[in-house]
Amino acid sequence: KPAHLVTCLDVLEHIEPEKLLFVLDDLRRCVLKVGFFVIHTGPSSKLLADGRNTHLVQQGKDWWRMKLKKFFTLAKDSVIERPPLLYCIVAPKSK
């Protein structure tokens, strides 16, 4: 449901890769003012039952920035190297 503040903390890297664009598009619908996303860009220490890493999307900060910019204005971002995290503040794109 749309809200002025939407947070995704330890969520986006767990999305099935083929569904990620649909999730980002739905987040675009939900973020009315600001979104705060924290994305782990490396592997998790846990595995799924089928043997895959629980971080299904393991891409670097530049890849994530490019994806987010398709749907949002990237207002601010910051990187922490260990663990590899990308912190992003996003806003709806201007019309």
Side-chain angles (χ1 to χ4, degrees):
K1 160 172 157 176
H4 290 287
L5 172 64
V6 175
T7 62
C8 287
L9 312 175
D10 189 33
V11 172
L12 295 174
E13 66 272 21
H14 294 279
I15 304 297
E16 292 284 352
E18 64 274 6
K19 297 193 168 130
L20 182 61
L21 294 180
F22 297 109
V23 171
L24 291 174
D25 190 43
D26 196 46
L27 283 170
R28 172 176 38 196
R29 179 187 64 80
C30 292
V31 174
L32 298 178
K33 297 277 184 185
V34 67
F36 178 63
F37 303 158
V38 179
I39 305 165
H40 195 294
T41 60
S44 168
S45 61
K46 298 178 183 167
L47 299 177
L48 297 171
D50 64 7
R52 292 181 298 162
N53 194 281
T54 59
H55 289 173
L56 298 172
V57 181
Q58 295 177 38
Q59 297 291 339
K61 60 186 183 278
D62 293 332
W63 185 91
W64 278 104
R65 285 179 183 129
M66 183 182 67
K67 292 291 182 205
L68 292 172
K69 285 180 181 180
K70 289 182 180 179
F71 298 92
F72 303 99
T73 298
L74 192 55
K76 176 97 172 125
D77 69 54
S78 183
V79 174
I80 293 179
E81 298 299 327
R82 290 193 183 239
L85 298 174
L86 176 63
Y87 292 82
C88 299
I89 297 174
V90 300
K93 281 191 169 195
S94 300
K95 296 189 179 192

